[in-house]
């Protein structure tokens, strides 16, 4: 059985650039901070503001493996943000 392709979105942060990959049930950040979450553990994906070159500042709030709330801030292309928000459903 073929596995569904992962969708990938670039992100930018002061600590370095990376990618967010989404599969059927998980979200993975690969870059300065490497995390893998179930989509259900993502509480919200929020646009914080507009940036130059069609980018937006955004934040992702999620539950960590101990049940605590974590928030990570980064920038990404606006079209990628909208697509990621639709994929995550938040």
């Amino acid at each position: 059985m073929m596995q569904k392709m992962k969708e990938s979105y670039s992100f930018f942060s002061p600590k370095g650039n990376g990618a967010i990959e989404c599969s059927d049930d998980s979200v993975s950040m690969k870059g300065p901070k490497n995390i893998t979450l179930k989509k259900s553990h993502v509480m919200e994906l929020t646009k914080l503001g507009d940036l130059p070159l069609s980018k937006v500042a955004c934040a992702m709030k999620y539950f960590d493996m101990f049940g605590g709330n974590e928030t990570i801030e980064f920038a990404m292309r606006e079209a990628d943000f909208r697509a990621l928000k639709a994929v995550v459903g938040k």
Side-chain angles (χ1 to χ4, degrees):
M1 184 173 172
M2 285 184 57
Q3 195 174 33
K4 184 179 176 187
M5 298 250 324
K6 291 183 180 181
E7 297 180 43
S8 183
Y9 308 99
S10 297
F11 73 88
F12 314 95
S13 75
K15 295 180 182 177
N17 302 337
I20 299 173
E21 295 180 348
C22 297
S23 64
D24 289 337
D25 61 345
S26 67
V27 176
S28 298
M29 285 189 90
K30 309 224 187 262
K33 185 172 185 176
N34 294 317
I35 57 173
T36 301
L37 314 162
K38 290 186 176 186
K39 281 185 182 177
S40 61
H41 291 179
V42 176
M43 294 186 295
E44 62 183 303
L45 184 63
T46 313
K47 178 179 170 182
L48 302 175
D50 294 320
L51 298 172
L53 303 173
S54 298
K55 293 181 184 164
V56 294
C58 42
M60 182 170 64
K61 192 173 186 179
Y62 61 92
F63 291 113
D64 64 13
M65 61 191 220
F66 301 110
N69 294 337
E70 296 283 335
T71 302
I72 187 165
E73 293 184 9
F74 51 92
M76 62 189 322
R77 292 177 191 93
E78 187 168 13
D80 286 349
F81 171 76
R82 280 189 253 124
L84 178 61
K85 192 162 176 78
V87 168
V88 173
K90 305 292 176 177

